[in-house]
Amino acid sequence: MGYSSAAAAAFAVLPVPSPSSSDDSDDANTLPTNPIVEPEVASPHQTPPPKLQQLERGCNLAMTPLGRAGDVDQVVHLFSDLMLSTSSAGVPPSVLCYNTLLNALVEAGRAVEARSVFDGMLAAGVAPNASSFNILVKLYAWRTADFHLAYDQIHAMRRHGLLPDVGTFSTLVTGLCRAGKLDEAWGVLDWMLQEGCRPMVHTYTPIVQGYCRQGQIEEATNLIGFMEEAGCPPNAVTYNVLIRALCDDARFAEVEQVLAEIETKGHELSTVTYNIYMDALGKKGMAKEALKQFEALQCKGLHPTAFTLSIILNCLCCTSRFSQAISILERSTDLNFCAAVVAYNTVMSRLCDMGRWPAVLELLADMIKKCIVPNTRTLNIFIHSLCIADKLSVAKKLVYNQGFPANAVTYNTLIHSFYLRGEAYEADNMFAYMTEVANIAPDEVTYTIMVDGLCRQGKFDKATDFFKESLRNRLRLSKDLLTALLNGLARSDRNTNILVVFQEIERQGFVRCYLIFGDTVRSICQVGFRQHTKMYGLPFLLEGMLGPGKEVYPAHKGQGKGK
Ligand SMILES: *[C@@H]1O[C@H](CO)[C@@H](O)[C@H](O)[C@H]1NC(C)=O
């Protein structure tokens, strides 16, 4: 069939890279992403009428990207719509659509639903194919680490007249390696050879990664040598895994060796590889060396990515070579605007940390001149600079004019600065504006700043109320927030408030763990050490916290009623 089925087939067995946590990172996924070529298998089922086929194709085209974007509920919804149409035509949905749904559920870790979709598929008389089973293997090997169930699927394939393929085995090997079961992974390799299935690069690479993760870099290197001999040479992904591990250990001389080896073997070095290396050098404080690699990269005619730029700009800022950084920024307009914003933010944030707010302002002006639209992070850096420069009224005006999308971080910066300056009234106003006018929900940091500020003003009941509100609004019991409040209360001998706090924690169903009590007693004792008279409160408090009918749990039981 056309693009959709090919994409779904590839998608069905491929590891989808997880979104990176850093918005500046373009790191390649360290897992193998080689497409697995699968033979087209003629469907043993009757073909549905053309109109329905078209509907299915459309539905699958819509489900695939939704699943990839993690909008699983939508995928489920579309599928049930499709079910309605197909069942009125008297045929079940195709295996392709089932696989797409199955994969979306598996990627989201919704194991129970995935299983029931698979069972539903069997019940509807739709024959699963190897891709369906590969998805289940992925579920059990990657998501739930129920390896015996993964093996069960592979055995079940035979009962359905199917043979496990290299994708099946590689998926299992990857899962085992992630769980640190390298010996077992080798066993699977033997097994697949017995089955006449040749391992491929993406079967070996997870094992290389497994060794690296366990710090067995020598083993990893040996395996790479073995891959060459076995006629399955390592690819860029394999090398990047090794280079990343060497970088983490700061074994830079060996990195150089590997880079040379890659080139003598006739492989091309990529920007991704350089990024890994330069990032590590930068993080280890070797900015000069990183900059040298940047030159090497450019000499090779490779194009820097947004991530390269952010590494290099950081290195330049660290070595106080701001003018060079700014000159790179000037050239960065060749990149797309999105990359340019990140690059500007990198330099502005460093300048802000150094207290060089006029330079921050200049860069902001430069961005605007170049029609690069600042994002919220840019503006937060700018607001922070203004606060450092003691220009709070300007910062406040900017926020009140609502000229840009402020978020909780923006308000936190301002509220904190007002408190630092002793302008509690302004801070309280800012909080009111944030929650009532701008309609931005306070986060843990906001509550912590407020509670600390209120305690300093002696408004203990209000601070306690804020804490209660945070428990009602947020699912997590924040340790920072609790510590700020308890310190404030203990400092002024507000034992009744402390008891209220603990009652509330209990009332809201949070687990009362040791850690909390330890910290409280510590706060009180710190006060008591200086002022012996206050020690009398301790037994009273302990009675209230730990007395009859009170349960205390070890910390590891978790800290909230939800997640
Ligand atoms: C499973 O069936 C779908 C739909 O026909 C097809 O796209 C896919 O390639 C098949 N997978 C295998 C391994 O045959």
Side-chain angles (χ1 to χ4, degrees), residues 8-14 38 95-108 110-111 114-115 117-118 121 128-144 149-150 153-154 157 165 167-168 171-172:
F11 178 42
V13 283
L14 279 187
E38 298 188 342
V95 59
L96 175 64
C97 288
Y98 268 110
N99 285 354
T100 306
L101 172 63
L102 206 52
N103 194 61
L105 290 168
V106 165
E107 285 295 336
R110 287 157 69 161
R115 188 70 230 185
V117 164
F118 185 79
M121 176 176 172
N129 67 10
S131 303
S132 325
F133 280 101
N134 287 356
I135 296 168
L136 284 184
V137 171
K138 182 166 70 175
L139 170 63
Y140 297 123
W142 294 16
R143 298 282 153 182
T144 65
L149 293 178
Q153 302 314 311
I154 299 180
M157 288 175 87
D165 56 22
T168 321
T171 303
L172 178 57

Side-chain angles (χ1 to χ4, degrees), residues 177-217:
C177 291
R178 283 185 188 174
K181 298 170 183 278
L182 295 192
D183 290 341
E184 204 175 326
W186 277 113
V188 173
L189 236 64
D190 282 343
W191 178 26
M192 71 189 281
L193 282 170
Q194 275 166 26
E195 300 277 330
C197 184
R198 268 170 67 92
M200 290 174 38
V201 178
H202 60 271
T203 325
Y204 287 116
T205 301
I207 309 182
V208 173
Q209 189 165 25
Y211 280 130
C212 288
R213 210 177 282 135
Q214 297 183 359
Q216 293 173 279
I217 296 186

